[in-house]
Amino acid sequence: MLHLRLIVPADRTDEVVGLLEHTVGTAHLVVLAGAARSPAGDVVLCDVARESGDELIGALRALGIDRSGSITVEVMDLTLSARADEAEREAPGESADAVLWEELSEVTHEESTFSVTYVAFLSVATMLAACGVMLDNAVLIVGAMAVGPEFGPLAGISTALVQRAPRLVGRSLWALVGGFAVAMVVTAGFAWLMDVFGLFDAGMVTAERPNTGFIWHPDWMSFVVALLAGIAGTLSLTSAKSGALIGVAISVTTVPAAANAAVAFSYQDLQQTWGSTAQLLANLGGIVVAGTLTLLLQKALWAARRRADPAVKPGPSRID
């Protein structure tokens, strides 16, 4: 279940309450007249099944409540109520299959920002991966994969493509490309510094690396794994099962490929540089393709379910 807290202008309360009462899957409607001070208005509380959440939020935005008041949505971990159970039974479909596009847009917006924290995480992950490739240590590679925050911008690109939001595409691309560019430059400098201290040397780049040599040898399996990881990652976001993202992160060779490319370039090993770059591009491209197709399929399936159930009243859903 989702919990909605609305601030509604007093002259729009009856209209909003009517919408909530006629939406399938709602329960626990509460109106607190004049309770809001900034902005001034009535506070309306309501619980709604996740399956009906996207249509309801879209309808509220169509009424302009997000501009004249506010719409706050919270995920409820536990609700003990016979009326809530009845509301979930009335709502069409399964909650795990429902996509809250507004929530997805907000999450990808936050994760797709070119910020100091984002660049710091990506740079640290890439330097950690550089240590892994130079030491041929698979444990360090897995750790670097888990630290890397690059799935956020990748999900942002897929979401923006499906929702036709060019500004989000540009922001996500900037975070992705700019972030990797900075991280790779920082890692190249890190490799030089480690060489000065005698911790890295050219022989470590050219040595046989049975545990990490695959990083600069891309093949079709690299793309296939990226596709599968992109599907799993997108499903974890749309179903609010964020725990699966850790598995996604350690399935794809993005951060290690960027690290190997930076280290190899610092030692003028162009063969490994190009091979690692190809590996990086294959993984990034596979995740974006899979994420976009997964969202398109989810959108089409949910639209078909709404058309098949006459009790469901479609509401507009948009991403600004």
Side-chain angles (χ1 to χ4, degrees):
M1 294 287 288
L2 304 173
H3 179 66
L4 271 63
R5 186 181 74 246
L6 312 174
I7 296 179
V8 183
D11 60 341
R12 306 294 302 279
T13 300
D14 290 342
E15 186 179 8
V16 169
V17 170
L19 172 64
L20 297 176
E21 289 178 335
H22 289 87
T23 298
V24 175
T26 58
H28 310 147
L29 177 61
V30 178
V31 178
L32 304 176
R37 293 292 179 267
S38 179
D42 300 335
V43 174
V44 179
L45 309 175
C46 179
D47 296 339
V48 60
R50 185 181 177 89
E51 303 91 298
S52 301
D54 188 59
E55 288 78 15
L56 179 56
I57 294 170
L60 290 169
R61 295 196 65 185
L63 293 176
I65 302 305
D66 56 323
R67 297 184 297 274
S68 60
S70 74
I71 303 172
T72 303
V73 183
E74 301 174 344
V75 177
M76 302 173 63
D77 294 326
L78 177 63
T79 303
L80 301 177
S81 165
R83 180 65 190 96
D85 294 340
E86 182 182 353
E88 290 191 315
R89 288 193 297 269
E90 292 173 350
E94 297 294 333
S95 61
D97 296 333
V99 179
L100 294 178
W101 291 100
E102 302 291 347
E103 177 188 50
L104 183 61
S105 174
E106 185 66 23
V107 170
T108 53
H109 177 274
E110 293 177 358
E111 299 293 332
S112 304
T113 303
F114 188 83
S115 63
V116 173
T117 301
Y118 167 79
V119 174
F121 266 114
L122 190 56
S123 298
V124 169
T126 308
M127 288 186 286
L128 184 61
C131 295
V133 296
M134 295 297 276
L135 298 174
D136 194 33
N137 189 317
V139 175
L140 290 177
I141 294 297
V142 172
M145 290 175 172
V147 172
E150 72 280 5
F151 189 79
L154 292 169
I157 293 173
S158 297
T159 302
L161 290 174
V162 173
Q163 294 296 91
R164 300 178 184 178
R167 286 186 297 176
L168 180 56
V169 172
R171 182 171 58 245
S172 299
L173 277 174
W174 168 237
L176 187 68
V177 176
F180 269 110
V182 172
M184 292 172 74
V185 169
V186 170
T187 301
F190 172 73
W192 175 83
L193 186 63
M194 295 289 280
D195 185 86
V196 170
F197 284 103
L199 298 176
F200 284 2
D201 60 66
M204 298 171 74
V205 177
T206 58
E208 290 291 329
R209 288 181 282 158
N211 294 321
T212 59
F214 70 93
I215 292 173
W216 62 283
H217 290 104
D219 53 24
W220 280 106
M221 280 304 300
S222 301
F223 188 73
V224 170
V225 171
L227 286 174
L228 297 175
I231 294 172
T234 302
L235 290 175
S236 72
L237 284 179
T238 58
S239 62
K241 297 183 183 299
S242 59
L245 285 177
I246 297 298
V248 173
I250 62 177
S251 299
V252 291
T253 318
T254 49
V255 167
N260 201 69
V263 171
F265 182 78
S266 68
Y267 285 105
Q268 298 300 303
D269 189 331
L270 298 184
Q271 183 180 9
Q272 285 201 43
T273 301
W274 288 115
S276 300
T277 302
Q279 179 78 274
L280 175 62
L281 294 176
N283 279 269
L284 295 178
I287 293 173
V288 170
V289 170
T292 303
L293 293 177
T294 300
L295 289 175
L296 285 172
L297 181 59
Q298 287 181 292
K299 192 172 186 178
L301 290 175
W302 196 254
R305 182 182 293 275
R306 285 164 53 188
R307 288 193 300 268
D309 193 328
V312 181
K313 298 181 180 180
S317 179
R318 67 188 186 202
I319 292 182
D320 295 329

